[in-house]
Amino acid sequence: MSTFEAVVFVVVVVAAVVFYVYRAIRVVPQATAAVIERFGRYKRTLEPGLRFLVPGADRVRATVDLREQVMPFPPQEVITEDNLLVYIDWVVYFQVIDPRRATYEIQNFVQAIEYLVSTTLRNIIGGMDLEATLTSRDEVNRQLRDVLDSETGRWGIRVSRVELRTIQPNRDITEAMEKQVRAERERRATILSAEGVKQAEILRAEGERQSMILKAEGEAKAAALRADGEASAISKTFKAIHDGNADQKLLSYQYLQMLPKIADGNASKLWIVPSELGKAVEGIGNAFSNATGGGGGLPASPLSAAPPEVEDGEQAAALPPAQRSGPPAAPAPADRPSGRRNSPNDVLFRRDE
């Protein structure tokens, strides 16, 4: 064997060894599993790390990702129980737990999951009306997850979650729903406004009632206190008069002092001089006569003098009934002072307007 032939032989042997080593060594990444076949039959599943194969006999059939995967699916047309068309798209969260089954039990498990979700969703939504579909999202997700988990378990796949992302009715239904929601909000606003007005009126009426009650109670208490004060004043006055042993002279003088107050007032056009005035004046005259020694006393009664001459009927009304030339004119009932019956000896005076 020549030198050239020896070099070629060595190179071929080294290349064969390198090729053999390359085919025999496999590095499996973390969270990945490799399905190995030997002569076309399943042999084993390689775990992550450095693994060795038999060159020419073993081969890698599939490399499976063991992480949880998220797979979105395009919107699908679904008809509800009340024959309304809605578009629904969803997201499936799944994980391969058995690489051997995921490789040999199903050809394409992603496509299988998509079709399975689509058919199951049509069955579920077909038994609900539109309102239940829009408000029962969690219930639909739960039913989908239960169906997918039971069906995909024999494929070595575990479905953890199924989420409906969008439930979109068609345009006409959306506009009708918006009108319905707007009308419902307006109705609630009207009801709340009416309730507010009602409560305000009730509170206002309650406040007025309480105010009237308190005002009436205050007036009643004020009247009672005023009456008690007047009664106390009258009682003290009478007590003072009795304690002071007032005689007829003092009482006559006080009677005369009260006459201007009786005649005072712009509203009174006619007032009556009582017949007791003569007695009071007579008592005052006697008092002054006794005080001066009986020489210069007052006349017994100013009303006992001769009546003055009268020129017309209006002045004649001021005379006593005994001195009038004509029939007596009775005063108007509204001008008569209340609390005392007129005496025949009373003198009437009319105030000039």
Side-chain angles (χ1 to χ4, degrees):
M1 180 181 295
S2 63
T3 305
F4 177 75
E5 293 177 352
V7 172
V8 172
F9 179 76
V10 171
V11 171
V12 171
V13 171
V14 171
V17 171
V18 171
F19 179 75
Y20 179 82
V21 172
Y22 174 76
R23 294 294 302 273
I25 297 175
R26 284 290 184 270
V27 177
V28 181
Q30 183 65 33
T32 304
V35 178
I36 303 302
E37 291 181 350
R38 178 170 296 176
F39 299 113
R41 187 175 182 180
Y42 172 77
K43 178 62 178 178
R44 56 178 177 162
T45 300
L46 298 183
E47 301 293 334
L50 182 63
R51 297 292 181 262
F52 296 94
L53 302 178
V54 177
D58 296 341
R59 73 181 185 93
V60 178
R61 170 64 184 272
T63 301
V64 181
D65 192 351
L66 300 180
R67 296 173 296 179
E68 186 173 7
Q69 303 180 41
V70 181
M71 185 65 62
F73 297 95
Q76 299 289 331
E77 295 181 356
V78 182
I79 299 177
T80 61
E81 186 180 10
D82 48 357
N83 296 324
L84 296 177
L85 182 64
V86 294
Y87 297 91
I88 302 177
D89 61 338
W90 61 89
V91 178
V92 178
Y93 296 81
F94 66 93
Q95 183 180 12
V96 178
I97 58 177
D98 191 346
R100 176 177 175 274
R101 291 186 178 181
T103 303
Y104 294 104
E105 297 294 336
I106 188 70
Q107 181 180 2
N108 188 346
F109 58 83
V110 175
Q111 187 176 10
I113 291 175
E114 178 182 0
Y115 291 160
L116 184 59
V117 171
S118 178
T119 55
T120 305
L121 189 62
R122 284 190 174 93
N123 293 333
I124 296 175
I125 301 300
M128 297 182 178
D129 56 5
L130 180 60
E131 185 176 358
T133 302
L134 296 175
T135 58
S136 304
R137 188 185 299 263
D138 294 337
E139 179 65 21
V140 174
N141 293 338
R142 186 187 62 80
Q143 294 185 20
L144 282 175
R145 186 179 63 251
D146 294 342
V147 172
L148 290 177
D149 196 18
S150 61
E151 293 294 331
T152 59
R154 57 189 180 89
W155 300 340
I157 298 172
R158 180 176 62 85
V159 177
S160 57
R161 295 180 64 185
V162 178
E163 293 291 339
L164 299 181
R165 293 195 302 178
T166 305
I167 302 177
Q168 183 64 39
N170 56 23
R171 186 178 182 84
D172 297 336
I173 299 175
T174 303
E175 293 178 355
M177 293 175 61
E178 291 178 356
K179 292 180 181 179
Q180 181 180 3
V181 171
R182 190 180 302 111
E184 182 66 21
R185 290 179 179 176
E186 292 178 356
R187 184 183 68 85
R188 293 179 181 178
T190 304
I191 293 175
L192 292 178
S193 178
E195 288 291 336
V197 173
K198 175 183 176 182
Q199 292 296 330
E201 292 295 334
I202 291 175
L203 293 177
R204 187 180 297 109
E206 184 68 22
E208 293 178 356
R209 186 177 71 86
Q210 293 293 335
S211 176
M212 295 177 64
I213 292 175
L214 293 177
K215 187 181 296 183
E217 292 178 354
E219 293 177 355
K221 291 182 179 179
L225 292 176
R226 194 180 300 110
D228 292 341
E230 293 178 357
S232 178
I234 293 173
S235 176
K236 289 182 179 180
T237 302
F238 276 96
K239 186 175 184 302
I241 292 174
H242 287 291
D243 292 343
N245 195 15
D247 54 0
Q248 185 65 27
K249 303 173 183 179
L250 178 60
L251 296 179
S252 299
Y253 180 71
Q254 292 293 331
Y255 187 80
L256 289 175
Q257 285 185 338
M258 289 300 298
L259 285 179
K261 296 182 179 180
I262 296 174
D264 191 12
N266 296 326
S268 300
K269 297 182 180 180
L270 182 68
W271 58 283
I272 302 172
V273 177
S275 59
E276 289 85 356
L277 178 62
K279 296 180 181 180
V281 174
E282 184 179 358
I284 295 297
N286 295 331
F288 277 100
S289 177
N290 295 331
T292 57
L298 295 175
S301 174
L303 302 178
S304 61
E309 295 181 358
V310 295
E311 296 180 358
D312 52 10
E314 183 177 0
Q315 295 180 356
L319 298 178
Q323 299 177 1
R324 295 176 186 173
S325 59
D335 295 336
R336 293 182 180 180
S338 60
R340 181 180 180 274
R341 184 182 298 273
N342 294 339
S343 174
N345 297 325
D346 292 345
V347 180
L348 302 179
F349 289 91
R350 183 180 301 274
R351 182 184 300 274
D352 294 337
E353 296 182 357

